[in-house]
Amino acid sequence: MGVQRSVVAVPARLESSRLPNKVLADIGGMPMLQRVLERCSQAHGPTAVVLCTDSDRLKEMAEDWGFPVLMTSASCSSGSERIASVADHLVAMAWDEQADGWDQQQQQQRLAMTAVINVQGDQPFLDPAVVTTMAMEFEQREIVPAVITPVYRLKPETIHNPNVVKTLLAIDGRALYFSRSAIPHVRDVDPLDWHRHATYWGHVGMYGFRGDVLACWSGMPPSPLEALERLEQLRLIEAGHTISTFAVEGTSLSVDTVEQLEEARECALKS
């Protein structure tokens, strides 16, 4: 039996190292986090949009905006770890049930039948249609993905930008690797011309997990590649999980720097 329910989990914290309190930055008269939550709520398919945070302040604000909240530990090192720590509760919310009422067999069934869609709290212009598509991919694929993520074709000028995460794809659409470096490397060709010899894919930074895979996050071995690249999805690849992909037209702006925040504010003025 495949995935029958989905839920959107938005992990967020205030203590961003590069841009403190960025999720509360004003963008077009609305806090960035509120924009993300509301855009997620416009998607079709998921039964709930849930904030996962260690901040009492964010909890109170999200509840005032009308969104449920799950509290997590402040020690979580990534968004995936944060939502994985409350995976049972997220899945229960997708089914409108109580996780503590399940026996072990029911727990495993519910986890395997639920997709948890991880949307970062710093994507204020996220297209709700991408969330809708991800939920549909879980429901309609003949073989239910363990993990799925959107990718997009990169423009030549972004291929060598380390702030843009690249994805190397197999013929069947599986993600073979993620890197901040340009992959593949085209030997004996000027790097400025690599785009003429290969298709380069960017990663949107959004993941859909089958619930039982997400629940195993804490049991996955430490990932040297994750530590080197600072990319949490590499933990999944090193642990042997398959990451499926689907193509979208473009990425949504992620806000990590002051410059990107100003860009987001300019975009809000134009919309």
Side-chain angles (χ1 to χ4, degrees):
M1 188 175 295
V3 164
Q4 297 182 13
R5 300 286 181 95
S6 59
V7 59
V8 176
V10 180
R13 62 193 180 99
L14 285 177
E15 293 76 19
S16 171
S17 57
R18 283 185 286 184
L19 195 60
N21 296 331
K22 69 176 180 179
V23 295
L24 295 181
D26 183 277
I27 298 177
M30 182 182 296
M32 179 161 58
L33 180 59
Q34 185 179 5
R35 292 180 69 100
V36 173
L37 292 168
E38 292 194 358
R39 282 179 173 262
C40 289
S41 70
Q42 295 169 18
H44 300 290
T47 56
V49 177
V50 185
L51 175 67
C52 301
T53 185
D54 58 10
S55 167
D56 291 329
R57 182 182 178 191
L58 293 184
K59 175 180 184 295
E60 292 174 4
M61 296 179 76
E63 289 176 340
D64 285 342
W65 299 330
F67 293 94
V69 179
L70 289 173
M71 298 300 291
T72 64
S73 169
S75 64
C76 295
S77 61
S78 68
S80 295
E81 181 179 346
R82 191 173 301 281
I83 67 171
S85 69
V86 289
D88 284 356
H89 297 288
L90 286 166
V91 170
M93 294 173 80
W95 291 84
D96 195 22
E97 296 176 349
Q98 296 294 323
D100 55 11
W102 296 336
D103 59 30
Q104 187 172 4
Q105 182 178 4
Q106 290 173 321
Q107 179 190 41
Q108 290 306 309
Q109 287 177 339
R110 286 289 189 254
L111 287 169
M113 293 164 58
T114 307
V116 179
I117 298 173
N118 178 0
V119 176
Q120 301 299 320
D122 60 4
Q123 294 180 307
F125 301 103
L126 171 78
D127 185 354
V130 177
V131 180
T132 298
T133 300
M134 182 172 287
M136 291 175 58
E137 291 283 330
F138 272 103
E139 294 174 8
Q140 297 178 0
R141 290 201 181 193
E142 185 175 346
I143 299 176
V144 179
V147 185
I148 192 166
T149 194
V151 296
Y152 65 102
R153 287 179 180 265
L154 284 175
K155 297 178 180 179
E157 61 267 24
T158 60
I159 290 172
H160 298 285
N161 183 345
N163 292 318
V164 176
V165 179
K166 272 68 72 172
T167 313
L168 185 63
L169 301 182
I171 293 175
D172 62 2
R174 286 176 298 117
L176 297 173
Y177 191 66
F178 296 84
S179 181
R180 298 187 182 278
S181 300
I183 46 176
H185 177 98
V186 184
R187 186 175 176 181
D188 299 329
V189 172
D190 187 322
L192 294 178
D193 291 326
W194 284 5
H195 66 281
R196 303 183 189 278
H197 299 266
T199 299
Y200 287 84
W201 294 93
H203 180 228
V204 174
M206 178 178 146
Y207 311 92
F209 297 90
R210 204 174 63 227
D212 55 331
V213 176
L214 180 63
C216 294
W217 182 271
S218 64
M220 294 181 196
S223 166
L225 292 175
E226 177 189 15
L228 288 171
E229 297 253 23
R230 297 294 191 269
L231 296 174
E232 62 197 82
Q233 62 269 43
L234 292 176
R235 180 181 303 198
L236 292 159
I237 288 180
E238 283 208 86
H241 291 289
T242 297
I243 300 180
S244 303
T245 68
F246 64 95
V248 296
E249 287 301 316
T251 188
S252 58
L253 174 65
S254 294
V255 178
D256 288 315
T257 65
V258 173
E259 292 76 19
Q260 289 169 336
L261 178 57
E262 290 306 313
E263 181 183 351
R265 286 171 170 161
E266 290 177 7
C267 290
L269 288 174
K270 296 175 183 177
S271 61

